[in-house]
Amino acid sequence: MRIAIDAMGGDHAPEAAVKGALLAVEHYSDLEITLYGDEEQIKPYLDPKHSKIHIHHTMEKVENTDEPARVVRKKKNASMVLMAEAVKNNEADACISAGNTGALMSTGLFKVGRIKGIDRPALSPTLPTIDGKGFLLLDVGANVEAKPNHLMQYAIMGSIYVEKVRGIKNPKVGLLNVGTEDQKGSELVKEAFQLMQSAPVNLLET
């Protein structure tokens, strides 16, 4: 597995990104990581014994104040943009950034592209629960306005992710609403619920 990481994105960059990469290669024997960012800032935190971590040097980075839609055109050599290009060019299997969320979504759309049949990407953090298992929440702000078919697509993507990545067979999928009755909620939620009933997901029973 080859992972491209925007080492200059997020709080405490690049230290946090580099230390996370070191922990990852120690835990996963088949993992190779390329850190995209300023080599002079990255090297002090990098243990040279790890031959599975590489650096792709670039001085440019995406700031939190940058307008997401313009990043790809205005900052072609930014660490976030270059890591996404690595996935597009099959130089990496996946990319990670803790930087500007809007810019990351735009970069992913313009560089990596959408999965066939998916209209919009979705942010999907795993939130903690008392039993320690956690649950996946889609979408948490990437799309301000969504349509019913988008919510259905999120349900399908989330279900596949939880099954394939977290190893939970036939995971349950729920739709967040103001109540459990079918007639409750906005037209968006009610229509999305109807679509999800015929989707290939294990819909949570109320």
Side-chain angles (χ1 to χ4, degrees):
M1 177 66 72
R2 303 164 301 167
I3 303 294
I5 297 178
D6 168 22
M8 310 311 293
D11 298 331
H12 310 295
E15 180 181 3
V18 177
K19 289 182 176 179
L22 289 168
L23 290 172
V25 295
E26 288 174 1
H27 187 76
Y28 299 101
S29 59
D30 60 343
L31 181 64
E32 284 205 16
I33 292 176
T34 300
L35 298 169
Y36 287 76
D38 187 344
E39 187 172 17
E40 288 190 7
Q41 293 186 51
I42 293 171
K43 274 190 171 181
Y45 304 106
L46 189 60
D47 189 337
K49 74 177 182 180
H50 286 287
S51 59
K52 293 184 178 181
I53 298 181
H54 317 285
I55 299 174
H56 185 111
H57 176 68
T58 181
M59 297 287 289
E60 196 168 26
K61 66 178 182 178
V62 174
E63 305 287 352
N64 285 332
T65 53
D66 285 331
E67 188 176 340
R70 299 190 178 195
V71 163
V72 175
R73 289 183 287 110
K74 296 290 185 179
K75 292 192 169 183
K76 296 181 179 180
N77 291 314
S79 51
M80 183 185 292
V81 176
L82 293 178
M83 71 158 195
E85 280 189 349
V87 176
K88 178 183 178 181
N89 298 332
N90 199 30
E91 297 167 0
D93 300 303
C95 57
I96 300 171
S97 176
N100 184 319
T101 307
L104 179 60
M105 297 295 283
S106 296
T107 302
L109 282 172
F110 292 124
K111 290 296 181 179
V112 180
R114 298 178 180 89
I115 298 172
K116 186 178 180 180
I118 299 298
D119 297 319
R120 292 184 182 181
L123 294 175
S124 51
T126 296
L127 301 185
T129 54
I130 293 174
D131 61 9
K133 295 179 180 179
F135 68 95
L136 193 71
L137 182 63
L138 299 91
D139 172 49
V140 291
N143 300 288
V144 179
E145 296 181 2
K147 296 179 180 179
N149 62 301
H150 297 151
L151 298 184
M152 181 191 67
Q153 291 172 7
Y154 299 161
I156 295 171
M157 287 192 292
S159 180
I160 293 171
Y161 176 87
V162 170
E163 184 169 353
K164 299 299 183 181
V165 176
R166 298 189 59 197
I168 300 175
K169 189 176 181 181
N170 200 25
K172 294 180 179 179
V173 177
L175 179 64
L176 191 62
N177 198 4
V178 296
T180 59
E181 296 84 358
D182 291 357
Q183 71 273 16
K184 280 196 172 181
S186 65
E187 290 303 314
L188 166 67
V189 174
K190 286 189 282 189
E191 190 175 338
F193 179 69
Q194 294 299 319
L195 291 174
M196 288 171 63
Q197 285 183 309
S198 58
V201 297
N202 180 19
L203 199 58
L204 184 66
E205 295 182 3
T206 57

